[in-house]
């Protein structure tokens, strides 16, 4: 027991009181507190946490219920916020202002470790608390000793877009302006991958989100964490890309990416490592387009290059067959009209000859 404070493990530290405990021959700091009683209770919690002899407890039977400060001391959420460094303007331990964001840091083995930057001081404080638990630091330094209670947020706030860099004029992560179109890029294991160019920034943002999921990157990078809203005016068009033809080179007359006319047949080509690779020749452009799509998947090329992003279905074939049938019917109608016209001309000529 300290003669100056009257409690085991509690010592005067200038105008405050420090709590310390010896575990396996090493002294561990449990933080500093405004009152001796606060520090003594923290010491007791550490005795229980480290499974030390109970005869070390300051309050073997717990703090008496008739103590004038019982409610405040036994409910850490009611504690007056711990005093922080005079330079700390955030109100949280391990959190400091960094430009327009908040930096979380923790000291482990006398070395300071960065825990990342966050949009709000509360987010940074929670990151610090998680690190306290992970590195088995004293729980006395937690910003939220009893855990953080999530506040209810309005739907409007949830739907707000994430903050992007001030240099990003598109409003979406991983999307940049490229001439009149929009380019999607993603950073994977330190190398940047192109995900293709798109007519709208929303298309590019969705391509970026698909890549985030494909490469198993943190979900906080998603432009649409809950997916594109069904109320979005472009929902049907964007979520069913098969119905929308991608823009092709002006010299491409087949209507498919990577497919070109080769005399009476159709050739499929793909570029791999800056080299053009032939995928064979086919009877129909559709067969060549499917061969190109298989190569896109095989060589792990961006899925934005697929002719059939959602896969080729029989409904597509039926649609094309319907078009062919319509064309055949039109040809038959034209043929019948021409035949009727010829009969009429022959009749007129016959009448003229009789006269």
């Amino acid at each position: 027991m300290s003669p100056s404070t009257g409690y085991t493990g509690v010592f005067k530290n200038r105008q405050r009181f420090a709590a310390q405990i010896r575990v396996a021959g090493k002294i561990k700091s449990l933080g500093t507190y405004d009152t001796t009683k606060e520090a003594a209770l923290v010491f007791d919690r550490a005795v229980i946490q480290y499974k030390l002899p109970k005869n070390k407890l300051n309050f073997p039977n717990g703090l008496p219920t008739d103590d004038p400060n019982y409610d405040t001391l036994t409910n850490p959420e009611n504690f007056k916020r711990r005093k922080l460094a005079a330079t700390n303007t955030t109100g949280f331990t391990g959190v400091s202002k960094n430009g327009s964001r908040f930096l979380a840091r923790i000291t482990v083995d006398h070395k300071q470790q960065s825990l990342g930057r966050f949009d709000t001081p509360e987010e940074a404080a929670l990151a610090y608390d998680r690190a306290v638990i992970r590195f088995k630091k004293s729980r006395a330094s937690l910003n939220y000793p009893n855990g953080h209670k999530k506040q209810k947020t309005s739907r409007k706030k949830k739907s707000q877009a994430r903050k992007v860099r001030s240099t990003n004029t598109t409003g979406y992560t991983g999307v940049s302006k490229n001439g009149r179109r929009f380019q999607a890029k993603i950073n994977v294991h330190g190398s940047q991958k192109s995900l293709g160019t798109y007519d709208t920034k929303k298309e590019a943002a969705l391509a970026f989100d698909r890549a985030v999921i494909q490469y198993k990157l943190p979900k906080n990078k998603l432009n649409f964490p809950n997916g594109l809203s069904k109320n979005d005016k472009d929902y049907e068009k964007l979520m069913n890309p098969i119905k929308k033809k991608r823009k092709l080179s002006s010299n491409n007359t087949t209507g498919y990416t990577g497919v070109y006319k080769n005399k009476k047949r159709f050739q499929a080509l793909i570029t791999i490592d800056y080299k053009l690779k032939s995928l064979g020749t086919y009877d129909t452009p559709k067969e060549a387009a499917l061969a190109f799509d298989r190569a896109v998947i095989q060589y792990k090329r961006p899925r934005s290059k697929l002719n059939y992003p959602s896969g080729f279905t029989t409904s597509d074939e039926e649609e094309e067959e319907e078009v062919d049938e319509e064309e055949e019917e039109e040809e038959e109608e034209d043929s019948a009209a021409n035949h009727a016209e010829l009969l009429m001309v022959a009749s007129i000529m016959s009448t003229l000859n009789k006269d």
Side-chain angles (χ1 to χ4, degrees):
M1 183 184 292
S2 170
S4 61
T5 65
Y7 292 107
T8 305
V10 179
F11 306 90
K12 193 89 166 67
N13 186 347
R14 296 180 185 176
Q15 295 179 350
R16 304 191 80 208
F17 299 91
Q20 294 178 345
I21 194 166
R22 186 181 289 276
V23 180
K26 292 182 180 178
I27 293 178
K28 289 182 177 286
S29 172
L30 304 173
T32 55
Y33 302 86
D34 292 334
T35 67
T36 53
K37 211 172 281 182
E38 278 183 272
L41 285 167
V42 168
F43 177 86
D44 282 10
R45 286 197 290 271
V47 167
I48 294 165
Q49 180 187 346
Y50 293 110
K51 298 176 182 177
L52 300 179
K54 289 192 176 180
N55 60 8
K56 291 182 178 287
L57 293 169
N58 289 295
F59 302 99
N61 300 316
L63 188 68
T65 54
D66 57 354
D67 189 285
N69 298 316
Y70 179 84
D71 187 56
T72 303
L73 293 172
T74 54
N75 292 284
E77 282 187 346
N78 296 331
F79 279 176
K80 187 169 73 176
R81 185 167 287 288
R82 295 194 306 108
K83 287 187 180 178
L84 303 166
T87 53
N88 188 324
T89 58
T90 65
F92 292 102
T93 304
V95 179
S96 58
K97 196 89 166 64
N98 186 280
S100 60
R101 304 189 82 199
F102 297 88
L103 179 67
R105 289 183 290 194
I106 193 168
T107 302
V108 180
D109 297 330
H110 307 291
K111 290 181 182 178
Q112 203 169 58
Q113 291 190 18
S114 172
L115 303 172
R117 290 174 176 78
F118 302 85
D119 292 334
T120 66
E122 288 82 7
E123 286 180 290
L126 286 168
Y128 176 84
D129 282 9
R130 286 193 294 270
V132 166
I133 294 164
R134 179 165 33 114
F135 293 112
K136 298 179 181 177
K137 304 282 285 181
S138 167
R139 295 182 73 88
S141 61
L142 290 171
N143 290 293
Y144 298 100
N146 289 349
H148 178 59
K149 290 181 180 178
K150 290 183 180 179
Q151 295 179 343
K152 290 182 180 178
T153 53
S154 65
R155 288 184 181 179
K156 186 178 178 183
K157 191 172 182 180
K158 280 185 180 178
S159 62
Q160 282 179 346
R162 294 199 318 107
K163 287 185 179 179
V164 293
R165 288 185 182 180
S166 57
T167 54
N168 188 326
T169 57
T170 66
Y172 291 106
T173 305
V175 179
S176 58
K177 197 89 167 66
N178 186 347
R180 292 182 180 179
R181 304 190 81 205
F182 297 89
Q183 187 168 23
K185 289 180 180 178
I186 195 165
N187 212 310
V188 181
H189 305 310
S191 63
Q192 203 170 59
K193 290 181 179 287
S194 173
L195 304 172
T197 53
Y198 301 84
D199 293 334
T200 68
K201 55 189 178 182
K202 209 176 283 182
E203 280 182 282
L206 285 167
F208 177 86
D209 283 10
R210 285 193 294 270
V212 166
I213 294 164
Q214 180 187 345
Y215 292 110
K216 297 177 182 177
L217 300 180
K219 288 193 176 180
N220 61 7
K221 290 182 178 287
L222 292 170
N223 290 294
F224 302 99
N226 300 320
L228 187 66
S229 170
K230 287 186 177 180
N231 297 324
D232 191 286
K233 60 178 182 178
D234 300 317
Y235 180 83
E236 189 63 30
K237 183 170 64 174
L238 292 171
M239 299 313 287
N240 294 287
I242 197 164
K243 294 180 180 178
K244 187 182 176 206
K245 276 285 179 195
R246 298 199 313 109
K247 285 192 175 177
L248 304 166
S249 305
S250 57
N251 61 351
N252 188 326
T253 58
T254 65
Y256 293 102
T257 304
V259 179
Y260 304 90
K261 195 88 166 66
N262 186 348
K263 295 180 181 177
K264 292 183 178 180
R265 303 192 81 205
F266 298 88
Q267 186 169 19
L269 300 167
I270 193 168
T271 303
I272 305 294
D273 297 330
Y274 306 103
K275 290 180 182 178
L276 205 63
K277 185 180 180 70
S278 173
L279 304 171
T281 54
Y282 301 85
D283 293 332
T284 66
K286 195 193 305 170
E287 286 180 291
L290 288 168
F292 177 85
D293 283 11
R294 285 193 294 270
V296 166
I297 295 164
Q298 180 188 345
Y299 293 108
K300 296 178 182 176
R301 305 289 290 161
R303 294 184 72 87
S304 59
K305 292 185 177 290
L306 292 170
N307 289 294
Y308 297 99
S310 303
F312 181 74
T313 61
T314 53
S315 61
D316 302 314
E317 202 166 59
E318 286 166 5
E319 282 177 18
E320 292 188 12
E321 282 175 2
E322 283 173 14
V323 171
D324 291 341
E325 284 171 10
E326 284 173 12
E327 286 176 357
E328 284 174 11
E329 285 172 11
E330 284 174 9
E331 285 175 8
E332 285 173 7
E333 285 171 8
D334 290 342
S335 178
N338 290 338
H339 184 63
E341 219 173 277
L342 287 170
L343 288 173
M344 190 182 293
V345 171
S347 176
I348 291 166
M349 289 299 291
S350 175
T351 306
L352 288 171
N353 288 334
K354 284 178 183 177
D355 293 340

